[in-house]
Amino acid sequence: ASVTPMTNAGTICSFPHWLEDNPLPEGWNVDTMDRLFQQIDPSTCNIDLPTAVGFCMGINQKALKEIGPFDPVYGRGYGEENDWCMRAVRQGYHHKIAGNLFVYHKHGGSFPSREKEALMKKNSMILNKRYPEYEAMIQDFIRKDPLKRLREFIWLRLKAHEAISHVLIVDHEFGGGANLYREQLTEEYLSRKKYIVLLTFNRILQRYSISFYLDTKERYTYLLKDLNILDTLIDTFDIEELYLNSIVGFLKPLNVLATLNRLVQTKSLQLTVPFHDYYAVCPSFTLINDKGRFCELPESKDICHNCLKAHQDIFKTFSDCEDISLWRKNWKSLLGKASQIICFSESSREIFQKIYPDLSEKCHVQPHKVSGLRKVEATTRARHPNVTNVAILGGINYAKGSFIVQNVVEKIEKKKIPIYLHLFGEIDNTIHSPYFIEHGRYRRKDLPKLMESFHIDLCIIPSICPETFSYTTEEVMEMGLPLIVFDIGAPAERTREYSKGTVIQPLTADALFACLEKRCWEK
């Protein structure tokens, strides 16, 4: 029966703020706003309205003849279009939104405010008496808000137009250093007027998720059925850059690589790949082999094949690929299109270059920026001269030495040495011992105070995998605490340059316990 356009001031058809009178967004006029709405395919928003909005409504001529004109009982205005729409509904007609049209409305321009108020009060009584179901229809529409997605899409497009460039970031949602890096990157990009679209994979829902960042506080997130929408997404939001932060945990990673590879080529995207993990080297992204140790990158592909086949790690739930040659071929094809590959330590670059020597020129070292922690007061650590308090920071899983921690605690308990391990974070196994205290998660800014409160003498990083970078290593060094690490990966690389650092071999609980025991008696 009727069609109503979107508008700045039209209650249920208002944009951007619903049910409100809105000024035009700063820097936008009616024509530029309408061009945004013209991008909408009307078939994708075939939405019924409970009533047209009388400031601007298209009326079906056939319906007008059948239903008749507006009822003059409403006088000069307010309520006459709603009455006509209710008559149409009772005769089986529908009222639609024209989602691809924007019409400006200067609300309240027809009548002085006092006359408007009197007309609305008088005419609403007539309308509600004639159609007692009217108010319930309006409230049901407001509750369901079927125009929400349309308004959000236009708002996202509008904000995209205001940005100087547009970036698609692909990342996991497992937390840790990669996600912290992404958060810092996002803040930096937003400060430079870059428009951020984030693609992740929700392991719980088994669905892809897409998030639009308009600023550090405003973010819109939607679930996707699959990755086929990425072509349209890139075109619609003028995305020029792909930042492949990590795809660990993504379903069918070889298919994801193929999709990203195609998009980079066909859409001429600038590709940046930071080396947060070793997924580009092996499905076992920590490079821990089926024997539970660092694999040291064997030359024999048969060794890799047998390892992947026998491995029991969680990564096997992400990918069933046991062909290391196929894995690296797919990664190399994508990495070869990158404008830059970022490593965060020399040790991780050496591993990358060993597997992909042809791509060495694209790879450069750029350590994370970690700062803002004050020095820990040394006097607080001397209050318990007969006790050694040792801190472990962050999330500790197998690759980060959870079994090492457990074995060290068992040795301490057996000898009853006054060494207490304090975990500030979480661990993937349960340790019951008076010599092990689990404090749980912490805020980074609180670390110096926590170290002082629990009289921490030194810190250990028990990782047995070659970490690409270690935030906790940098944090310990910032606080000026002594540090013990195994001789592997980025922690060892940085600790060798630290005057209070100790790098030990071999990568065993015996070696770490012996070092701690020596420190305890020296104290």
Side-chain angles (χ1 to χ4, degrees):
S2 73
V3 179
T4 304
M6 294 294 291
T7 182
N8 60 298
T11 58
I12 59 174
C13 299
S14 288
F15 172 86
H17 300 296
W18 199 37
L19 308 177
E20 296 181 17
D21 291 357
N22 299 275
L24 288 175
E26 187 177 352
W28 292 77
N29 58 39
V30 181
D31 289 334
T32 53
M33 284 294 296
D34 185 50
R35 279 197 286 273
L36 271 183
F37 281 89
Q38 286 177 26
Q39 297 173 15
I40 296 292
D41 178 353
S43 67
T44 63
C45 57
N46 184 19
I47 297 171
D48 278 11
L49 300 175
T51 178
V53 182
F55 87 99
C56 177
M57 56 186 289
I59 295 178
N60 183 341
Q61 188 176 37
K62 178 184 175 185
L64 183 62
K65 290 178 179 178
E66 184 175 334
I67 297 164
F70 289 171
D71 192 330
V73 71
Y74 291 95
R76 294 182 61 213
Y78 290 105
E80 70 277 16
E81 81 277 23
N82 312 103
D83 183 285
W84 186 88
C85 288
M86 290 304 297
R87 284 150 55 198
V89 168
R90 287 184 173 182
Q91 294 193 45
Y93 281 93
H94 295 263
H95 307 289
K96 297 289 184 179
I97 184 73
N100 60 338
L101 176 64
F102 179 86
V103 175
Y104 178 76
H105 179 206
K106 181 174 173 56
H107 206 176
S110 303
F111 304 98
S113 57
R114 184 173 295 179
E115 182 182 5
K116 171 185 172 181
E117 184 179 345
L119 283 169
M120 290 181 67
K121 183 176 181 180
K122 170 176 173 278
N123 291 349
S124 63
M125 292 176 64
I126 299 172
L127 183 66
N128 288 317
K129 185 175 181 180
R130 285 185 174 183
Y131 310 103
E133 71 274 26
Y134 174 76
E135 189 60 33
M137 288 173 60
I138 298 297
Q139 292 306 316
D140 184 62
F141 184 85
I142 291 173
R143 179 176 58 83
K144 293 177 179 176
D145 190 8
L147 294 176
K148 179 180 179 182
R149 291 287 181 259
L150 172 61
R151 292 195 309 274
E152 286 182 353
F153 176 76
I154 295 298
W155 182 244
L156 294 173
R157 290 290 291 120
L158 184 148
K159 301 302 287 186
H161 270 285
E162 296 175 352
I164 61 171
S165 64
H166 309 81
V167 184
L168 173 63
I169 299 177
V170 180
D171 197 13
H172 64 59
E173 289 285 16
F174 288 135
N179 285 175
L180 178 59
Y181 177 83
R182 181 234 298 169
E183 291 169 7
Q184 294 171 341
L185 180 72
T186 299
E187 288 186 14
E188 178 192 345
Y189 275 4
L190 290 171
S191 70
R192 290 159 50 189
K193 298 291 185 182
K194 288 196 173 188
Y195 190 87
I196 305 299
V197 181
L198 172 67
L199 173 69
T200 59
F201 183 73
N202 189 309
R203 298 286 308 169
I204 296 174
L205 299 177
Q206 291 290 292
R207 295 279 294 275
Y208 290 100
S209 174
I210 200 84
S211 297
F212 298 84
Y213 287 78
L214 306 188
D215 54 41
T216 54
K217 295 181 180 179
E218 191 174 6
R219 170 179 173 181
Y220 295 83
T221 300
Y222 309 92
L223 292 176
L224 307 179
K225 292 181 180 178
D226 51 49
L227 295 181
N228 293 332
I229 198 173
L230 289 182
D231 287 85
T232 303
L233 182 79
I234 289 169
D235 292 339
T236 303
F237 288 91
D238 306 316
I239 291 171
E240 310 110 359
E241 182 180 347
L242 171 61
Y243 207 100
L244 181 54
N245 210 47
S246 179
I247 59 168
V248 171
F250 278 49
L251 194 64
K252 297 182 178 180
L254 288 180
N255 291 349
V256 175
L257 287 174
T259 298
L260 297 179
N261 204 341
R262 177 183 59 79
L263 290 173
V264 169
Q265 185 168 354
T266 59
K267 306 295 183 182
S268 300
L269 301 179
Q270 177 183 321
L271 174 63
T272 302
V273 184
F275 215 51
H276 292 293
D277 49 59
Y278 296 104
Y279 213 33
V281 171
C282 178
S284 178
F285 50 88
T286 59
L287 299 184
I288 297 296
N289 62 19
D290 60 319
K291 305 298 189 297
R293 295 291 183 267
F294 172 43
C295 70
E296 299 185 9
L297 304 173
E299 297 290 340
S300 170
K301 300 297 187 295
D302 289 338
I303 293 176
C304 292
H305 175 79
N306 293 333
C307 172
L308 289 174
K309 190 173 182 179
H311 222 304
Q312 300 297 317
D313 204 311
I314 190 174
F315 75 82
K316 293 293 286 287
T317 65
F318 309 154
S319 171
D320 57 1
C321 181
E322 296 174 356
D323 185 341
I324 196 68
S325 297
L326 176 64
W327 183 265
R328 290 174 181 171
K329 178 183 177 182
N330 279 267
W331 270 102
K332 185 176 181 180
S333 177
L334 179 61
L335 292 171
K337 297 178 177 64
S339 57
Q340 63 173 338
I341 299 167
I342 303 171
C343 287
F344 302 105
S345 61
E346 288 290 347
S347 59
S348 61
R349 178 164 68 172
E350 289 173 7
I351 289 175
F352 177 85
Q353 290 177 335
K354 182 175 181 179
I355 303 303
Y356 300 110
D358 297 345
L359 302 177
S360 296
E361 292 184 359
K362 294 177 180 285
C363 184
H364 68 277
V365 176
Q366 180 182 306
H368 292 299
K369 297 176 182 178
V370 181
S371 60
L373 293 181
R374 64 173 174 81
K375 298 290 183 184
V376 171
E377 294 292 334
T379 53
T380 65
R381 302 200 300 275
R383 293 179 183 173
H384 297 79
N386 299 321
V387 172
T388 298
N389 288 303
V390 180
I392 308 167
L393 307 181
I396 308 299
N397 55 22
Y398 182 91
K400 295 204 174 187
S402 60
F403 77 98
I404 294 283
V405 173
Q406 185 167 7
N407 290 345
V408 168
V409 171
E410 290 170 357
K411 293 176 186 300
I412 293 170
E413 192 165 13
K414 185 176 180 179
K415 286 197 172 184
K416 294 188 172 13
I417 299 174
I419 300 174
Y420 294 87
L421 269 56
H422 296 257
L423 174 63
F424 298 90
E426 296 175 334
I427 194 165
D428 66 358
N429 56 355
T430 303
I431 301 176
H432 297 292
S433 171
Y435 296 92
F436 179 79
I437 303 99
E438 190 170 350
H439 298 282
R441 294 187 178 187
Y442 60 90
R443 293 182 299 179
R444 183 177 179 275
K445 66 178 182 178
D446 295 333
L447 271 177
K449 184 178 179 181
L450 288 169
M451 299 299 101
E452 292 166 351
S453 298
F454 294 98
H455 315 299
I456 299 301
D457 296 287
L458 60 95
C459 298
I460 61 172
I461 294 175
S463 292
I464 60 165
C465 68
E467 293 194 53
T468 60
F469 183 81
S470 174
Y471 278 95
T472 52
T473 298
E474 302 297 322
E475 289 166 349
V476 172
M477 292 167 62
E478 267 200 296
M479 292 187 291
L481 287 167
L483 176 63
I484 302 172
V485 303
F486 286 126
D487 190 10
I488 187 171
E493 180 183 317
R494 288 290 288 125
T495 303
R496 284 194 186 91
E497 304 171 359
Y498 182 45
S499 61
K500 297 180 181 179
T502 303
V503 179
I504 61 173
Q505 287 186 359
L507 280 60
T508 64
D510 286 339
L512 180 55
F513 173 72
C515 188
L516 289 175
E517 186 178 26
K518 182 181 178 183
R519 287 293 187 96
C520 180
W521 298 136
E522 286 176 351
K523 182 182 177 183

